[in-house]
Amino acid sequence: MPDTPDLLLQERHGDVAVLKLNIPQRLNPLAMPLQERLRAALAALAADRSVRALVITGEGKAFCVGADLSSMQPASGQSLGEQTAQAMEALSNRLIQDIRELPFPVVSAVNGPCAGAGVGLALAADVVVAARSAYFYLPFMPRLGIVPDLGTTWFLERFVGRARAVGLSLLGDRLSAEQAQQWGLIWGAVDDANLATEALALAQRLARLPAHAAQEIRAVYENAGQASLVDQMRLEAERQRQLIDRPTFAEGVQAFLGKREPVFPPR
């Protein structure tokens, strides 16, 4: 994969950033140089306090078709499995963690086929919206004899339940955007021509939230997947103890009483 400066496109729309995977001629595989560019871009955006939301999408006909299988060659003295696992720990897994740890909300705009590790990339966002022509596809086990990765198993079980997660993983059926919406895997399916506009509008709404919104909501729902009801309510009470004493709550109350929209400070 030539290391060109165009693997990742960046745009700004006010306080919303947009990142576009840009290997359209190959349907945007997660080539290692692209993953490195993504991590660097995410770090820069996280440090830029003027950014309040992010959209991740693909250029061309696809969102992302997963691993760049054509570039997978074993290094001398190392098996391909060992090399892949090390690359995942050092780069790919950290890319997903980077997204989940961003200090602002993230929207995935799935503009076309979303396959393999691309599914984990898409689902790492806080809100996922897809074009009606898009689909989600897990070829890992039926085509390659391996398990879904980049967090796909973690996301799928939580979002659609174990029966559907296992079925998709074993059968390798394509899941349409509309079916994904019906199953609760994504927020919504929209007409292809409207995807970019709808995704940006969602990100602009998210950008108006309190600066801590994404991190707090991610944390409580991730905990809910393993906590008892009593423990989860205890966590909720503890978060309210901290959050109600912040200026954002006071602004929200004043806005409610004044019958206006709240205006929260930037991060």
Side-chain angles (χ1 to χ4, degrees), residues 228-239:
S228 68
L229 174 60
V230 171
D231 287 341
Q232 186 67 11
M233 290 192 295
R234 186 176 295 116
L235 173 64
E236 292 168 352
E238 179 54 35
R239 295 319 304 141

Side-chain angles (χ1 to χ4, degrees), residues 100-104 211-220:
R100 298 296 293 175
E101 293 171 0
L102 285 170
F104 44 72
H212 55 266
Q215 292 171 312
E216 289 287 342
I217 293 299
R218 289 174 198 146
V220 292

Side-chain angles (χ1 to χ4, degrees), residues 5-263:
D6 298 322
L7 295 179
L8 184 67
L9 302 179
Q10 301 191 49
E11 300 175 3
R12 279 293 293 269
H13 300 267
D15 50 14
V16 175
V18 178
L19 295 179
K20 291 185 179 181
L21 313 186
N22 189 39
I23 316 177
Q25 69 278 12
R26 299 182 56 212
L27 305 182
N28 299 322
L30 273 178
M32 301 294 278
L34 174 57
Q35 294 184 51
E36 291 167 352
R37 295 288 175 82
L38 273 168
R39 290 204 68 203
L42 293 173
L45 293 174
D48 184 348
R49 300 184 73 86
S50 70
V51 178
R52 297 187 64 166
L54 169 66
V55 176
I56 299 176
T57 191
E59 183 71 10
K61 298 180 179 179
F63 176 76
C64 176
V65 292
D68 185 12
L69 297 178
S70 65
S71 69
M72 294 178 66
Q73 301 293 332
S76 177
Q78 192 177 39
S79 75
L80 184 57
E82 291 171 338
Q83 179 180 316
T84 301
Q86 288 181 8
M88 289 176 67
E89 290 291 346
L91 180 61
S92 305
N93 291 355
R94 292 187 181 184
L95 170 60
I96 302 302
Q97 290 176 264
D98 289 345
I99 296 171
R100 298 296 293 175
E101 293 171 0
L102 285 170
F104 44 72
V106 183
V107 175
S108 281
V110 180
N111 55 300
C114 181
V119 176
L121 178 66
L123 298 182
D126 300 296
V127 178
V128 184
V129 62
R132 294 194 196 283
S133 67
Y135 61 82
F136 299 84
Y137 173 49
L138 302 178
F140 297 93
M141 188 55 68
R143 295 291 184 180
L144 301 169
I146 60 177
V147 298
D149 55 20
L150 268 67
T152 300
T153 57
W154 193 91
F155 295 122
L156 278 179
E157 183 176 35
R158 282 162 174 76
F159 297 165
V160 302
R162 181 164 297 186
R164 284 171 169 165
V166 170
L168 284 174
S169 300
L170 289 176
L171 297 172
D173 289 350
R174 293 182 179 182
L175 182 68
S176 71
E178 292 189 343
Q179 188 69 60
Q181 179 182 20
Q182 293 171 14
W183 282 11
L185 181 66
I186 66 174
W187 175 253
V190 303
D191 292 341
D192 289 34
N194 297 334
L195 177 66
T197 301
E198 292 283 349
L200 182 59
L202 281 171
Q204 289 169 335
R205 287 177 59 190
L206 294 170
R208 295 194 291 269
L209 295 174
H212 55 266
Q215 292 171 312
E216 289 287 342
I217 293 299
R218 289 174 198 146
V220 292
Y221 279 107
E222 287 177 12
N223 191 78
Q226 58 192 8
S228 68
L229 174 60
V230 171
D231 287 341
Q232 186 67 11
M233 290 192 295
R234 186 176 295 116
L235 173 64
E236 292 168 352
E238 179 54 35
R239 295 319 304 141
Q240 305 303 44
R241 182 198 311 275
Q242 300 292 327
L243 297 174
I244 285 174
D245 287 339
R246 293 190 182 183
T248 46
F249 181 75
E251 164 60 14
V253 171
Q254 290 174 11
F256 176 78
L257 296 176
K259 298 182 180 180
R260 60 173 175 83
E261 290 295 315
V263 179

